[in-house]
Amino acid sequence: MHFPDEPTIAARILVVEDNPVNREVARHMLERMGCAVDTAADGREAVDAYCAGTYDLLLMDCDMPVLD
């Protein structure tokens, strides 16, 4: 649900986080702000997603499994 007084950001964001709970919390928060969000669970998935899409912003954990 979006409330009128919340900021709206029209951005496509890739969230890269290996913890599934953190990944879903980040997705939910960003979607409430109007962002389109894709997620990846490891560094390899992040590289593949980045190469396949166009993102305005990548939010990535510093220590990722498979590929940092």
Side-chain angles (χ1 to χ4, degrees):
M1 175 180 255
H2 181 75
F3 297 100
D5 58 337
E6 290 181 344
T8 300
I9 302 170
R12 185 161 179 220
I13 299 175
L14 176 61
V15 174
V16 186
E17 170 61 59
D18 56 328
N19 181 298
V21 173
N22 292 346
R23 198 167 48 243
E24 287 308 306
V25 168
R27 172 196 290 274
H28 178 72
M29 291 172 65
L30 292 165
E31 286 177 344
R32 281 193 58 169
M33 293 171 36
C35 300
V37 180
D38 292 329
T39 63
D42 64 49
R44 173 52 50 201
E45 285 182 22
V47 170
D48 292 343
Y50 179 78
C51 290
T54 302
Y55 295 97
D56 299 304
L57 179 67
L58 276 75
L59 299 175
M60 186 171 185
D61 190 346
C62 294
D63 185 24
M64 294 300 301
V66 181
L67 179 68
D68 269 335

Coordinates of all heavy atoms in Angstrom, one line a residue:
M1 N 0.8 -1.2 0.0 CA 0.0 0.0 0.0 C 0.9 1.2 0.0 O 1.9 1.3 0.7 CB -0.9 0.0 1.2 CG -1.7 1.2 1.4 SD -2.8 1.1 2.8 CE -4.3 0.9 2.0
H2 N 0.5 2.2 -0.8 CA 1.3 3.5 -0.9 C 0.5 4.6 -0.3 O -0.7 4.8 -0.7 CB 1.7 3.7 -2.3 CG 2.5 5.0 -2.5 ND1 3.8 5.1 -2.2 CD2 2.1 6.2 -2.9 CE1 4.2 6.3 -2.4 NE2 3.2 7.0 -2.9
F3 N 1.1 5.4 0.6 CA 0.4 6.5 1.1 C 0.9 7.8 0.5 O 2.0 7.9 0.1 CB 0.7 6.6 2.6 CG 0.1 5.4 3.4 CD1 1.0 4.4 3.7 CD2 -1.2 5.3 3.7 CE1 0.5 3.2 4.4 CE2 -1.7 4.2 4.3 CZ -0.9 3.2 4.7
P4 N 0.0 8.8 0.2 CA 0.3 10.0 -0.5 C 1.5 10.8 0.0 O 2.2 11.4 -0.7 CB -0.9 10.8 -0.5 CG -2.0 9.9 -0.1 CD -1.4 8.8 0.7
D5 N 1.8 10.7 1.3 CA 2.9 11.5 1.9 C 4.2 10.8 1.9 O 5.2 11.4 2.3 CB 2.5 12.0 3.3 CG 2.3 10.8 4.2 OD1 1.9 9.7 3.8 OD2 2.4 11.0 5.5
E6 N 4.3 9.6 1.3 CA 5.5 8.9 1.2 C 6.2 9.3 -0.1 O 5.6 9.6 -1.1 CB 5.3 7.3 1.2 CG 4.8 6.8 2.5 CD 4.6 5.3 2.4 OE1 4.6 4.7 1.3 OE2 4.5 4.6 3.4
P7 N 7.6 9.3 0.0 CA 8.3 9.7 -1.2 C 8.1 8.6 -2.3 O 8.0 7.4 -2.0 CB 9.7 9.8 -0.8 CG 9.8 8.9 0.5 CD 8.4 9.0 1.1
T8 N 8.1 9.0 -3.6 CA 8.0 8.1 -4.7 C 9.3 8.2 -5.5 O 9.7 9.3 -5.9 CB 6.8 8.4 -5.6 OG1 5.6 8.3 -4.8 CG2 6.7 7.4 -6.7
I9 N 9.9 7.0 -5.7 CA 11.2 7.0 -6.5 C 10.9 6.0 -7.7 O 10.7 4.9 -7.5 CB 12.3 6.5 -5.6 CG1 12.5 7.4 -4.5 CG2 13.6 6.5 -6.5 CD1 13.5 6.9 -3.4
A10 N 11.0 6.5 -8.9 CA 10.8 5.7 -10.1 C 12.1 5.2 -10.5 O 12.8 5.8 -11.4 CB 10.1 6.5 -11.2
A11 N 12.6 4.1 -9.8 CA 13.9 3.6 -10.1 C 13.8 2.1 -10.2 O 13.0 1.5 -9.5 CB 14.9 4.0 -9.1
R12 N 14.7 1.5 -11.0 CA 14.8 0.0 -11.0 C 16.1 -0.3 -10.3 O 17.2 0.1 -10.6 CB 14.9 -0.5 -12.5 CG 14.9 -2.0 -12.6 CD 14.5 -2.5 -13.9 NE 14.6 -3.9 -13.9 CZ 15.0 -4.6 -14.9 NH1 15.5 -4.0 -16.0 NH2 15.1 -5.9 -14.8
I13 N 15.9 -1.2 -9.2 CA 17.0 -1.5 -8.3 C 17.2 -3.0 -8.2 O 16.3 -3.7 -8.1 CB 16.6 -0.9 -6.9 CG1 16.5 0.6 -7.0 CG2 17.7 -1.3 -5.9 CD1 16.1 1.3 -5.7
L14 N 18.5 -3.3 -8.2 CA 18.9 -4.7 -7.9 C 19.4 -4.8 -6.5 O 20.3 -4.1 -6.1 CB 19.9 -5.2 -8.9 CG 20.5 -6.6 -8.7 CD1 19.4 -7.6 -8.8 CD2 21.6 -6.8 -9.7
V15 N 18.7 -5.6 -5.7 CA 19.1 -5.9 -4.3 C 19.9 -7.2 -4.3 O 19.3 -8.2 -4.6 CB 17.9 -5.9 -3.3 CG1 18.4 -6.3 -1.9 CG2 17.3 -4.5 -3.3
V16 N 21.1 -7.2 -3.8 CA 21.9 -8.4 -3.7 C 22.2 -8.7 -2.3 O 23.0 -8.0 -1.7 CB 23.2 -8.3 -4.6 CG1 23.9 -9.6 -4.6 CG2 22.9 -7.8 -6.0
E17 N 21.6 -9.7 -1.8 CA 21.7 -10.1 -0.3 C 21.6 -11.6 -0.2 O 20.6 -12.1 -0.7 CB 20.7 -9.3 0.4 CG 20.5 -9.7 1.9 CD 21.7 -9.5 2.7 OE1 22.2 -8.4 2.8 OE2 22.2 -10.5 3.3
D18 N 22.5 -12.2 0.6 CA 22.4 -13.7 0.7 C 21.4 -14.1 1.8 O 20.9 -15.2 1.8 CB 23.8 -14.3 1.0 CG 24.5 -13.7 2.2 OD1 24.3 -12.5 2.5 OD2 25.3 -14.4 2.8
N19 N 21.0 -13.2 2.7 CA 20.1 -13.5 3.8 C 18.7 -13.3 3.2 O 18.3 -12.2 2.8 CB 20.3 -12.7 5.0 CG 19.4 -13.0 6.1 OD1 18.2 -12.8 6.0 ND2 19.9 -13.4 7.2
P20 N 17.8 -14.4 3.1 CA 16.5 -14.2 2.5 C 15.6 -13.2 3.2 O 14.8 -12.5 2.6 CB 15.9 -15.6 2.5 CG 16.8 -16.4 3.4 CD 18.1 -15.7 3.5
V21 N 15.7 -13.2 4.5 CA 14.8 -12.2 5.3 C 15.2 -10.8 5.0 O 14.4 -9.9 4.7 CB 14.9 -12.5 6.8 CG1 14.1 -11.4 7.6 CG2 14.3 -13.9 7.1
N22 N 16.5 -10.5 5.0 CA 17.0 -9.2 4.7 C 16.6 -8.8 3.2 O 16.3 -7.6 3.0 CB 18.5 -9.1 4.8 CG 18.9 -9.2 6.3 OD1 18.1 -9.1 7.2 ND2 20.2 -9.4 6.5
R23 N 16.7 -9.7 2.3 CA 16.4 -9.5 0.9 C 14.9 -9.1 0.8 O 14.6 -8.1 0.1 CB 16.7 -10.8 0.1 CG 16.8 -10.6 -1.3 CD 17.4 -11.8 -2.1 NE 16.9 -13.0 -1.7 CZ 17.5 -14.0 -1.2 NH1 18.8 -13.9 -0.8 NH2 16.9 -15.2 -0.9
E24 N 14.0 -9.8 1.5 CA 12.6 -9.5 1.4 C 12.3 -8.1 2.1 O 11.4 -7.4 1.6 CB 11.8 -10.6 1.9 CG 11.7 -11.8 1.0 CD 11.4 -11.4 -0.5 OE1 10.3 -10.8 -0.7 OE2 12.1 -11.7 -1.4
V25 N 12.9 -7.9 3.2 CA 12.7 -6.6 3.9 C 13.1 -5.4 3.0 O 12.4 -4.4 2.8 CB 13.4 -6.5 5.2 CG1 13.4 -5.1 5.8 CG2 12.8 -7.5 6.2
A26 N 14.3 -5.5 2.4 CA 14.7 -4.5 1.4 C 13.8 -4.3 0.3 O 13.4 -3.2 -0.1 CB 16.1 -4.8 1.0
R27 N 13.4 -5.5 -0.3 CA 12.4 -5.4 -1.4 C 11.1 -4.7 -1.0 O 10.7 -3.8 -1.7 CB 12.1 -6.8 -1.9 CG 10.9 -6.8 -3.0 CD 10.3 -8.2 -3.2 NE 11.2 -9.1 -3.8 CZ 11.3 -9.2 -5.1 NH1 10.6 -8.5 -5.9 NH2 12.1 -10.1 -5.6
H28 N 10.6 -5.1 0.1 CA 9.3 -4.5 0.5 C 9.5 -2.9 0.8 O 8.6 -2.2 0.3 CB 8.9 -5.1 1.8 CG 7.6 -4.6 2.4 ND1 6.4 -4.7 1.8 CD2 7.4 -3.8 3.5 CE1 5.5 -4.1 2.5 NE2 6.1 -3.5 3.5
M29 N 10.6 -2.6 1.4 CA 10.8 -1.1 1.7 C 10.9 -0.3 0.4 O 10.3 0.8 0.3 CB 12.0 -0.9 2.6 CG 11.8 -1.5 4.0 SD 13.4 -1.5 4.9 CE 13.7 0.3 5.0
L30 N 11.7 -0.9 -0.5 CA 11.9 -0.1 -1.8 C 10.6 -0.1 -2.7 O 10.3 0.9 -3.3 CB 13.0 -0.8 -2.6 CG 14.4 -0.6 -1.9 CD1 15.4 -1.6 -2.5 CD2 14.9 0.8 -2.0
E31 N 9.9 -1.2 -2.7 CA 8.6 -1.2 -3.4 C 7.6 -0.2 -2.9 O 6.9 0.4 -3.6 CB 8.1 -2.6 -3.5 CG 8.8 -3.5 -4.5 CD 8.3 -5.0 -4.5 OE1 7.6 -5.4 -3.6 OE2 8.7 -5.7 -5.4
R32 N 7.6 -0.1 -1.6 CA 6.7 0.9 -0.9 C 7.1 2.3 -1.4 O 6.2 3.2 -1.4 CB 6.8 0.8 0.6 CG 5.9 -0.3 1.1 CD 5.8 -0.2 2.6 NE 5.1 1.0 2.9 CZ 4.6 1.3 4.1 NH1 4.7 0.5 5.0 NH2 4.0 2.5 4.3
M33 N 8.3 2.5 -1.8 CA 8.7 3.9 -2.2 C 8.5 4.0 -3.7 O 8.9 5.1 -4.3 CB 10.2 4.1 -1.9 CG 10.4 4.2 -0.4 SD 12.1 4.2 0.2 CE 13.0 5.1 -1.0
G34 N 8.0 3.0 -4.4 CA 7.7 3.1 -5.8 C 8.7 2.5 -6.7 O 8.6 2.6 -7.9
C35 N 9.7 1.9 -6.2 CA 10.8 1.3 -7.0 C 10.4 -0.1 -7.5 O 9.7 -0.8 -6.9 CB 12.1 1.1 -6.1 SG 12.7 2.6 -5.4
A36 N 10.9 -0.4 -8.7 CA 10.9 -1.7 -9.3 C 12.1 -2.5 -8.8 O 13.2 -2.0 -8.9 CB 10.8 -1.7 -10.8
V37 N 11.9 -3.6 -8.1 CA 13.0 -4.3 -7.5 C 13.2 -5.7 -8.0 O 12.2 -6.5 -8.1 CB 12.8 -4.3 -5.9 CG1 13.9 -5.0 -5.2 CG2 12.6 -3.0 -5.4
D38 N 14.4 -6.1 -8.3 CA 14.8 -7.4 -8.6 C 15.8 -7.8 -7.5 O 16.5 -6.9 -6.9 CB 15.5 -7.5 -9.9 CG 14.6 -7.3 -11.1 OD1 13.4 -7.6 -11.0 OD2 15.0 -6.8 -12.1
T39 N 15.9 -9.1 -7.2 CA 16.9 -9.5 -6.2 C 17.8 -10.6 -6.7 O 17.4 -11.3 -7.6 CB 16.1 -10.1 -4.9 OG1 15.3 -11.2 -5.3 CG2 15.2 -9.0 -4.3
A40 N 18.9 -10.8 -6.0 CA 19.8 -11.9 -6.3 C 20.4 -12.3 -4.9 O 20.5 -11.5 -4.0 CB 21.0 -11.4 -7.2
A41 N 20.7 -13.6 -4.8 CA 21.1 -14.2 -3.6 C 22.6 -14.4 -3.5 O 23.1 -14.7 -2.4 CB 20.4 -15.6 -3.4
D42 N 23.3 -14.2 -4.6 CA 24.8 -14.4 -4.5 C 25.4 -13.5 -5.6 O 24.7 -13.0 -6.4 CB 25.2 -15.8 -4.6 CG 24.8 -16.5 -5.9 OD1 25.1 -16.0 -7.0 OD2 24.3 -17.6 -5.8
G43 N 26.7 -13.5 -5.6 CA 27.4 -12.6 -6.5 C 27.2 -13.0 -8.0 O 27.1 -12.2 -8.9
R44 N 27.2 -14.3 -8.2 CA 27.0 -14.8 -9.6 C 25.6 -14.4 -10.1 O 25.5 -13.9 -11.3 CB 27.2 -16.3 -9.7 CG 26.9 -17.0 -11.0 CD 27.5 -16.4 -12.2 NE 29.0 -16.3 -12.1 CZ 29.7 -15.4 -12.9 NH1 29.1 -14.7 -13.9 NH2 31.0 -15.3 -12.8
E45 N 24.6 -14.6 -9.3 CA 23.3 -14.1 -9.7 C 23.2 -12.6 -10.0 O 22.5 -12.2 -10.9 CB 22.2 -14.5 -8.6 CG 21.9 -15.9 -8.5 CD 20.8 -16.2 -7.5 OE1 20.1 -15.2 -7.1 OE2 20.7 -17.3 -7.0
A46 N 24.0 -11.9 -9.2 CA 24.0 -10.4 -9.4 C 24.6 -10.0 -10.7 O 24.1 -9.2 -11.4 CB 24.8 -9.8 -8.2
V47 N 25.7 -10.7 -11.0 CA 26.4 -10.4 -12.3 C 25.5 -10.7 -13.5 O 25.3 -10.0 -14.4 CB 27.7 -11.1 -12.4 CG1 28.3 -11.0 -13.8 CG2 28.7 -10.6 -11.4
D48 N 24.8 -11.9 -13.4 CA 23.9 -12.3 -14.5 C 22.7 -11.4 -14.6 O 22.4 -11.0 -15.7 CB 23.4 -13.8 -14.2 CG 24.5 -14.8 -14.3 OD1 25.5 -14.5 -14.9 OD2 24.3 -15.9 -13.8
A49 N 22.1 -11.0 -13.5 CA 21.0 -10.0 -13.5 C 21.4 -8.7 -14.1 O 20.7 -8.1 -14.9 CB 20.4 -9.9 -12.1
Y50 N 22.6 -8.2 -13.6 CA 23.1 -6.9 -14.1 C 23.3 -6.9 -15.6 O 23.0 -6.0 -16.4 CB 24.4 -6.5 -13.4 CG 25.0 -5.2 -13.9 CD1 24.4 -4.0 -13.5 CD2 26.0 -5.2 -14.8 CE1 24.9 -2.8 -13.9 CE2 26.5 -4.0 -15.2 CZ 26.0 -2.8 -14.8 OH 26.5 -1.6 -15.3
C51 N 23.9 -8.0 -16.1 CA 24.2 -8.1 -17.6 C 22.9 -8.3 -18.4 O 22.8 -7.9 -19.5 CB 25.0 -9.3 -17.8 SG 26.7 -9.1 -17.3
A52 N 21.8 -8.8 -17.8 CA 20.6 -9.0 -18.5 C 19.6 -7.9 -18.4 O 18.6 -7.8 -19.2 CB 19.9 -10.3 -17.9
G53 N 19.8 -6.9 -17.5 CA 18.9 -5.8 -17.3 C 19.6 -4.5 -17.2 O 20.8 -4.4 -17.4
T54 N 18.7 -3.5 -17.0 CA 19.2 -2.1 -16.8 C 18.7 -1.6 -15.5 O 17.5 -1.6 -15.2 CB 18.6 -1.2 -17.9 OG1 19.0 -1.7 -19.2 CG2 19.1 0.2 -17.8
Y55 N 19.7 -1.2 -14.6 CA 19.4 -0.8 -13.3 C 19.8 0.6 -13.0 O 20.9 1.0 -13.5 CB 20.0 -1.8 -12.2 CG 19.4 -3.2 -12.3 CD1 20.0 -4.1 -13.0 CD2 18.2 -3.4 -11.7 CE1 19.5 -5.4 -13.2 CE2 17.6 -4.7 -11.8 CZ 18.3 -5.7 -12.5 OH 17.7 -6.9 -12.6
D56 N 19.1 1.3 -12.2 CA 19.5 2.6 -11.8 C 20.4 2.6 -10.6 O 21.2 3.5 -10.4 CB 18.2 3.5 -11.4 CG 17.3 3.6 -12.6 OD1 17.8 4.1 -13.7 OD2 16.1 3.3 -12.5
L57 N 20.2 1.5 -9.8 CA 21.0 1.4 -8.6 C 21.1 -0.1 -8.2 O 20.2 -0.9 -8.4 CB 20.3 2.1 -7.4 CG 20.9 2.1 -6.1 CD1 22.2 2.9 -6.0 CD2 19.9 2.7 -5.1
L58 N 22.3 -0.5 -7.7 CA 22.6 -1.8 -7.1 C 22.9 -1.6 -5.7 O 23.7 -0.8 -5.3 CB 23.7 -2.5 -7.8 CG 23.5 -3.2 -9.1 CD1 23.3 -2.2 -10.3 CD2 24.6 -4.2 -9.4
L59 N 22.2 -2.4 -4.8 CA 22.5 -2.4 -3.4 C 23.0 -3.8 -3.1 O 22.3 -4.8 -3.3 CB 21.2 -2.1 -2.6 CG 20.5 -0.8 -2.8 CD1 19.2 -0.7 -2.1 CD2 21.5 0.3 -2.4
M60 N 24.2 -3.9 -2.7 CA 24.9 -5.2 -2.6 C 25.6 -5.4 -1.3 O 26.3 -4.5 -0.8 CB 25.8 -5.4 -3.7 CG 26.4 -6.8 -3.8 SD 27.3 -6.9 -5.4 CE 27.8 -8.6 -5.3
D61 N 25.4 -6.5 -0.6 CA 26.1 -6.9 0.6 C 27.6 -7.0 0.2 O 28.0 -7.3 -0.9 CB 25.6 -8.3 1.1 CG 26.1 -8.6 2.4 OD1 27.1 -8.0 2.9 OD2 25.6 -9.6 3.0
C62 N 28.5 -6.6 1.1 CA 29.9 -6.6 0.8 C 30.6 -8.0 0.8 O 31.5 -8.2 0.1 CB 30.7 -5.8 1.9 SG 30.3 -4.1 1.9
D63 N 30.0 -8.9 1.5 CA 30.6 -10.3 1.5 C 29.6 -11.3 1.0 O 28.6 -11.7 1.7 CB 31.0 -10.6 3.0 CG 31.7 -11.9 3.1 OD1 32.3 -12.4 2.2 OD2 31.6 -12.5 4.2
M64 N 29.7 -11.7 -0.3 CA 28.7 -12.5 -0.9 C 29.2 -13.9 -1.2 O 30.4 -14.1 -1.5 CB 28.3 -11.9 -2.2 CG 27.6 -10.6 -2.1 SD 26.1 -10.6 -1.2 CE 25.1 -11.8 -2.1
P65 N 28.3 -14.9 -1.1 CA 28.8 -16.3 -1.5 C 28.9 -16.4 -3.0 O 28.4 -15.6 -3.7 CB 27.6 -17.1 -1.0 CG 26.5 -16.2 -0.8 CD 27.0 -14.9 -0.6
V66 N 29.6 -17.4 -3.4 CA 29.9 -17.7 -4.8 C 30.9 -16.7 -5.5 O 31.9 -17.1 -6.0 CB 28.6 -17.9 -5.7 CG1 29.0 -18.3 -7.1 CG2 27.7 -18.9 -5.0
L67 N 30.6 -15.4 -5.4 CA 31.4 -14.4 -6.1 C 31.2 -13.1 -5.3 O 30.1 -12.6 -5.2 CB 30.9 -14.3 -7.5 CG 31.6 -13.2 -8.4 CD1 33.1 -13.7 -8.7 CD2 30.9 -13.1 -9.7
D68 N 32.3 -12.5 -4.8 CA 32.3 -11.2 -4.1 C 32.3 -10.1 -5.2 O 32.9 -10.2 -6.2 CB 33.5 -11.1 -3.2 CG 33.2 -11.6 -1.8 OD1 32.0 -11.6 -1.4 OD2 34.1 -11.9 -1.1

